[in-house]
């Protein structure tokens, strides 16, 4: 698939590299595009893509999508792994979800929240650290979730690990797992773990 990765940081690079290795056509969109870095403007990257990965700070997600423009974003699939924090690493929008807000602001886009409950290295190497990891998926569009689930499989996620929580409203729950994630990092002194739902 043609995939635009917005954000050239840790998550964008990890997901872009992993999906390119799986055979996808990955284009990076940056606020500072450069020929040397092989990056386009965010808008140009989205223009040629079928799937847009928003690997930007959650606090910048709304502005990023606004700058891309509703007509360019259109009805593309938006895979959103973002999280929104204050400079002190507290929840930026307690009681609200950046993915749900993005879906409300861009109703034609098909937003799927996923991969936001783990460290970037685990996103692309899911079973290396934990044999029974869980990755959550939230979104209103069933077809978009099927595409995203396929991309997760390409990154190494077995179907038993993928838990579809339901609509984009359920992204509120996974975005609010962030304090649990950081408390666990502090307790274990490592980010090489994941959340497992067992039953
Ligand atoms: N790191 C993790 O393990 C992890 C885990 C789960 C979720 N997340 C979430 O995933 C998203 C990306 O995380 P990351 O670790 O890749 O962050 P990062 O290393 O800081 O990279 C973020 C990238 O976003 C782009 N960006 C666009 N608007 C920005 C703005 N206003 N301020 C700063 N950067 C901006 C930048 O790329 P350009 O300069 O090229 O535009 C930047 O390199 C965040 O929402 C984060 O909370 C991260």
């Amino acid at each position: 698939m043609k995939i635009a990765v917005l954000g050239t940081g840790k998550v964008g690079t990890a997901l872009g590299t992993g999906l390119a290795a799986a055979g996808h056509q990955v284009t990076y969109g940056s606020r500072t595009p450069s020929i040397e870095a092989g990056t386009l403007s965010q808008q140009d990257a989205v223009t040629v893509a079928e799937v847009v990965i928003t690997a930007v700070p959650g606090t910048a997600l709304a502005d990023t999508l606004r700058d891309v423009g509703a007509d360019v974003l259109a009805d593309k699939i938006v895979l959103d792994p973002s999280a929104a924090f204050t400079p002190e690493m507290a929840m930026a929008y307690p009681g609200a979800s950046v993915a749900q807000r993005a879906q409300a602001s861009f109703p034609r886009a098909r937003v799927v929240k996923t991969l936001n409950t783990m460290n970037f290295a685990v996103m692309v190497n899911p079973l290396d650290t934990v044999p029974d990891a869980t990755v959550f998926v939230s979104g209103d569009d069933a077809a978009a979730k099927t595409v995203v689930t396929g991309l997760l499989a390409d990154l190494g996620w077995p179907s038993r690990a993928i838990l579809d929580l339901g609509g984009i409203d359920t992204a509120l729950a996974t975005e609010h797992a962030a304090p649990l994630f950081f408390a666990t990092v502090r307790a274990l002194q490592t980010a090489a773990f994941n959340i497992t739902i067992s039953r």
Side-chain angles (χ1 to χ4, degrees):
M1 300 193 78
K2 293 178 182 167
I3 299 172
V5 177
L6 305 184
T8 55
K10 295 179 284 298
V11 172
T13 304
L15 294 181
T17 304
L19 292 168
H24 295 285
Q25 202 176 314
V26 175
T27 308
Y28 294 92
S30 175
R31 294 167 300 169
T32 52
S34 84
I35 293 167
E36 297 77 40
T39 53
L40 300 179
S41 73
Q42 293 176 332
Q43 193 177 61
D44 286 348
V46 172
T47 300
V48 296
E50 301 160 272
V51 176
V52 180
I53 298 180
T54 51
V56 301
T59 47
L61 181 62
D63 284 346
T64 298
L65 295 180
R66 204 170 297 124
D67 289 348
V68 166
D71 287 338
V72 172
L73 194 59
D75 60 355
K76 294 175 198 267
I77 295 168
V78 177
L79 187 166
D80 175 32
S82 73
F85 304 113
T86 67
E88 295 76 33
M89 293 307 282
M91 299 289 295
Y93 313 117
S97 152
V98 288
Q100 200 174 359
R101 282 184 176 180
Q103 183 63 83
S105 301
F106 300 89
R108 278 190 290 156
R110 299 182 286 158
V111 181
V112 180
K113 189 91 200 185
T114 192
L115 290 169
N116 54 310
T117 53
M118 68 202 72
N119 177 259
F120 69 96
V122 177
M123 294 178 188
V124 293
N125 209 350
L127 304 182
D128 200 37
T129 49
V130 250
D132 272 313
T134 300
V135 60
F136 302 100
V137 175
S138 303
D140 291 339
D141 188 297
K145 285 197 284 195
T146 299
V147 169
V148 167
T149 300
L151 296 178
L152 293 175
D154 290 341
L155 291 171
W157 290 94
S159 55
R160 65 178 157 77
I162 301 171
L163 179 51
D164 184 346
L165 291 176
I168 197 64
D169 57 312
T170 63
L172 177 77
T174 61
E175 291 183 20
H176 284 66
L180 170 65
F181 177 84
F182 288 123
T184 307
V185 171
R186 285 192 293 274
L188 298 180
Q189 292 291 302
T190 177
F193 65 88
N194 200 356
I195 296 169
T196 302
I197 300 297
S198 54
R199 60 177 177 170

